[in-house]
Amino acid sequence: MRRIRIEGAEQIQEEEMEKSKVYFTNFRATVQENIQQKLVRLMKTAGMDSIDFDKKYTAIKIHFGEPGNLAYLRPNYAKTVVDFVRSLGGKPFLTDCNTLYVGGRKNALDHLDSAYVNGFSPFSTGCHIIIADGLKGTDEVCVPVEGGTYVKEAKIGRAVMDADIVISLNHFKGHEAAGFGGAIKNLGMGCGSRAGKMEMHSAGKPRVSERKCIGCGQCTKVCAHDAISITDKKASIDHNKCVGCGRCIGVCLMDAVRPASDESNDILNCKMAEYTKAVIDGRPNFHISLVMDVSPYCDCHGENDAPIVPDVGMFASFDPVALDRACADAVNNQPVCKGSVLDEVEHVHHDHFTDVFPDTNWTSCLEHAKALGLGTDEYELIQI
């Protein structure tokens, strides 16, 4: 539907997008229907079975969880999606790309070990795991980004691009640089190769507050690029070496390392949207978000802090922008969990994610995604 607005002598034409449908169900279960069965009903009601899966390679993008983190999605949810895809004739596989930072998923061998430790295997999920960017994170495809402002060619893990269909299955949670991690972050950042992740992070350079820093050295242990040094019991970051991955922010016990308070986090979010466009453009895609164990930090951390809000439910949509917006709205409508980091901060932003990380701006990602044509943040929430 198109409307025309008159301003002075100018005619400004605006496209009024139809609201996207986002389907939702809570975590209540009965003796007739458990949570996994309810997830199947959600996928069916949302129309995922309208995709032609017959003999199609189907990449199910998921985060296997950093060892030591317990907030990642259980493999049971992955199996439910895998079985549903297989029942429709598809050839599913679980996938993710390697990380920039030191940890349990920095190469394909360690990544697979971590997935197995966290319960993901062909026996528990019903399909194989393929680390999309290969042994050392260098197996990538350069994908043109039509309309991209910051990225002209996204560097995507080859196995993701070889798939016929992409399904995003993500744990919705907070994030110290993006504000939150949802469908767009799962696909954009998650499907970027090592070089792709570096490209997305490169605008964001964290800073150290000398007043707060005690020189414990935790940040130096997680920096994979030797960008952090300790001098006179104070950390400093060499921005010529730093790639902006943000790991130092999460491990700092004194909250001394913070994201840069300029536009860098907005640029990171915009780049993630452009990478997401590269991943899903021109092929069938569907998105599922589970809003549970809403930790303040990403599942990339080797620990998970207490949830900031109670569990909400499961969401699904063909529109990743609408899905992320619906999940964010749902979280912001929840009460604060007592004893969480959200409970300890001043609530001045009327937004749970911004209250936890004031230097972030998650709306920048959705606004840029809309401009790229990935979807709309206007949605109709349909509860089943």
Side-chain angles (χ1 to χ4, degrees):
M1 178 164 38
R2 172 172 291 178
R3 68 175 183 268
I4 299 177
R5 177 161 52 92
I6 307 298
E7 288 190 0
E10 295 183 358
Q11 277 194 345
I12 300 177
Q13 293 187 351
E14 296 179 338
E15 292 293 336
E16 184 178 358
M17 296 188 69
E18 183 179 349
K19 290 183 178 180
S20 289
K21 290 181 171 59
V22 177
Y23 294 81
F24 164 76
T25 188
N26 59 33
F27 285 117
R28 297 294 303 274
T30 67
V31 293
Q32 289 81 26
E33 183 181 54
N34 62 32
I35 296 298
Q36 289 174 278
Q37 292 166 333
K38 206 172 189 183
L39 177 54
V40 172
R41 182 158 62 92
L42 176 70
M43 292 186 289
K44 287 181 177 179
T45 307
M48 181 174 154
D49 54 356
S50 66
I51 298 173
D52 178 14
F53 284 98
D54 189 39
K55 298 181 177 61
K56 303 291 196 309
Y57 292 105
T58 303
I60 301 174
K61 172 61 182 71
I62 193 170
H63 194 303
F64 299 113
E66 189 70 20
N69 188 301
L70 298 178
Y72 64 90
L73 295 183
R74 295 178 181 177
N76 308 66
Y77 294 109
K79 179 171 174 51
T80 301
V81 178
V82 166
D83 289 348
F84 186 58
V85 169
R86 201 178 291 281
S87 73
L88 297 170
K91 298 172 73 66
F93 63 95
L94 298 177
T95 192
D96 197 3
C97 286
N98 293 307
T99 61
L100 272 178
Y101 50 79
V102 175
R105 299 176 302 121
K106 62 184 179 296
N107 60 67
L109 298 182
D110 291 351
H111 206 152
L112 286 170
D113 285 345
S114 297
Y116 296 154
V117 166
N118 284 343
F120 294 90
S121 74
F123 307 104
S124 64
T125 65
C127 74
H128 290 289
I129 298 169
I130 300 176
I131 305 306
D133 59 343
L135 181 62
K136 297 181 179 180
T138 57
D139 191 12
E140 62 191 20
V141 178
C142 291
V143 183
V145 181
E146 184 179 352
T149 302
Y150 302 96
V151 179
K152 299 308 178 185
E153 281 192 335
K155 303 170 183 67
I156 308 296
R158 185 174 299 277
V160 168
M161 294 312 301
D162 281 346
D164 303 303
I165 300 167
V166 177
I167 306 296
S168 172
L169 174 60
N170 74 273
H171 170 222
F172 194 87
K173 67 280 181 187
H175 193 275
E176 56 272 29
F180 68 67
I184 292 176
K185 186 175 185 300
N186 185 44
L187 289 172
M189 184 61 70
C191 291
S193 66
R194 182 179 294 275
K197 287 181 171 66
M198 188 173 296
E199 180 178 30
M200 283 181 276
H201 277 114
S202 62
K205 308 290 184 175
R207 51 186 169 81
V208 178
S209 168
E210 289 193 1
R211 179 178 60 84
K212 292 183 177 182
C213 179
I214 60 174
C216 67
Q218 291 298 313
C219 54
T220 65
K221 295 178 182 178
V222 298
C223 182
H225 306 278
D226 297 322
I228 307 176
S229 58
I230 306 291
T231 305
D232 297 329
K233 296 185 177 180
K234 299 294 179 181
S236 62
I237 300 174
D238 183 348
H239 283 181
N240 291 320
K241 294 181 178 180
C242 173
V243 300
C245 71
R247 285 287 286 170
C248 54
I249 298 170
V251 300
C252 182
L253 302 176
M254 306 305 294
D255 199 29
V257 188
R258 302 292 295 175
S261 56
D262 54 18
E263 79 279 11
S264 59
N265 285 327
D266 286 354
I267 294 174
L268 169 68
N269 273 329
C270 291
K271 287 181 176 180
M272 288 195 311
E274 294 184 4
Y275 263 68
T276 299
K277 182 178 177 67
V279 170
I280 66 176
D281 214 13
R283 56 180 168 170
N285 57 91
F286 189 80
H287 315 277
I288 305 161
S289 292
L290 274 60
V291 186
M292 60 189 300
D293 297 321
V294 185
S295 51
Y297 298 104
C298 182
D299 294 344
C300 294
H301 285 249
E303 80 292 328
N304 58 286
D305 204 356
I308 58 175
V309 298
D311 291 348
V312 179
M314 301 182 286
F315 296 72
S317 179
F318 282 97
D319 185 336
V321 183
L323 183 65
D324 274 358
R325 182 77 211 203
C327 292
D329 289 346
V331 168
N332 280 323
N333 286 330
Q334 297 302 305
V336 176
C337 283
K338 295 296 182 183
S340 69
V341 65
L342 180 59
D343 188 39
E344 298 171 352
V345 300
E346 189 177 5
H347 299 147
V348 296
H349 298 94
H350 308 291
D351 179 278
H352 292 335
F353 302 109
T354 310
D355 282 334
V356 176
F357 299 113
D359 293 326
T360 63
N361 176 22
W362 56 265
T363 59
S364 61
C365 181
L366 302 190
E367 289 297 326
H368 196 61
K370 283 169 55 181
L372 289 166
L374 283 176
T376 176
D377 59 357
E378 295 290 330
Y379 63 91
E380 176 188 359
L381 189 64
I382 302 169
Q383 184 166 355
I384 70 166

